[in-house]
Amino acid sequence: MMNYNAALESALAQFGAASLEQIRKYSGYPVADNRIEVDFLGYKSEVEHPSGRFSPEPTPEGDLPVFARILILHYLSRSGPVQEQGRLISYKEIPGGSIYIQPFSNRAIRPLVQAFGERPQALSEVGLRLGGRVAAHGDAAVTIPVFPHIPVTLVIWGGDDEFPPNGNILFDASAARILPAEDYAVMAGFVAATLQKMSKGG
């Protein structure tokens, strides 16, 4: 398993340097005193500023793994307003995304297709349980608000006699102004894994 200690330390430092007013203004999450109330794919927690301490404290192998906490800290640390553009782009259109396209496909697209390629409508059903909305793409698609300002659209095309099932994960065109490409690869993989787990009754 990858060692995320250095990445977590960096994310904590970045979060600690961000002002609480900045987080309140740009994150889209409620802030009470010095605690940010975070809902991330159904996992509700509070993040204390400036320590970056999560409450309840996640267990090492729990539902909020360390890389998910790093994603949350990166998102909360961002500065400046970002307006959703309503135009979808693929991962390789995010600056730097083309370098990571193979890991992105292995980590996110392949599990998505394995879970829903033979039953596309199940993607919509599970996605709605995460607060998503049905989207008009492929044979089934759902747009999930992973963060308040980062919607992620997952698309499935069912297979037929000529072609195997296929899928894609798309982002709003504003994505590149919020997080780096590596974060979107991690995010998409976690979304796909969460949906896969939910589809199995987890």
Side-chain angles (χ1 to χ4, degrees):
M1 180 178 292
M2 184 179 296
N3 189 324
Y4 288 99
N5 288 342
L8 179 58
E9 289 180 10
S10 175
L12 286 168
Q14 185 179 352
F15 174 75
S19 71
L20 198 58
E21 181 57 33
Q22 169 186 318
I23 295 169
R24 180 183 288 109
K25 188 173 182 179
Y26 298 125
S27 72
Y29 285 126
V31 178
D33 296 325
N34 68 327
R35 305 177 76 86
I36 303 100
E37 299 172 12
V38 172
D39 185 344
F40 177 70
L41 295 175
Y43 305 120
K44 299 183 189 304
S45 57
E46 292 185 343
V47 184
E48 183 183 83
H49 185 273
S51 70
R53 185 179 297 111
F54 282 72
S55 178
E57 186 71 26
T59 58
E61 301 300 329
D63 289 332
L64 197 64
V66 63
F67 61 79
R69 281 178 277 158
I70 292 169
L71 275 177
I72 292 169
L73 292 169
H74 283 177
Y75 176 79
L76 294 176
S77 303
R78 71 188 189 87
S79 61
V82 174
Q83 184 71 36
E84 288 181 31
Q85 298 183 22
R87 177 173 63 86
L88 296 179
I89 60 173
S90 65
Y91 181 72
K92 66 182 180 182
E93 294 176 84
I94 296 173
S98 59
I99 300 173
Y100 299 99
I101 192 65
Q102 195 59 50
F104 176 83
S105 297
N106 291 337
R107 186 171 194 165
I109 303 298
R110 184 176 296 173
L112 179 70
V113 174
Q114 288 174 344
F116 301 104
E118 301 298 334
R119 48 194 187 113
Q121 290 309 314
L123 172 64
S124 301
E125 294 167 7
V126 176
L128 290 174
R129 289 164 53 193
L130 279 180
R133 65 181 187 275
V134 173
H137 304 283
D139 291 324
V142 62
T143 299
I144 296 173
V146 179
F147 289 111
H149 299 299
I150 303 183
V152 176
T153 299
L154 303 98
V155 187
I156 283 288
W157 291 269
D160 56 28
D161 293 338
E162 295 185 47
F163 301 100
N166 199 359
N168 205 353
I169 298 178
L170 307 171
F171 306 90
D172 187 82
S174 62
R177 297 180 56 197
I178 303 176
L179 294 172
E182 299 95 318
D183 279 357
Y184 287 108
V186 174
M187 181 190 305
F190 190 61
V191 172
T194 299
L195 292 172
Q196 187 176 42
K197 180 179 178 181
M198 291 175 65
S199 73
K200 295 177 179 178

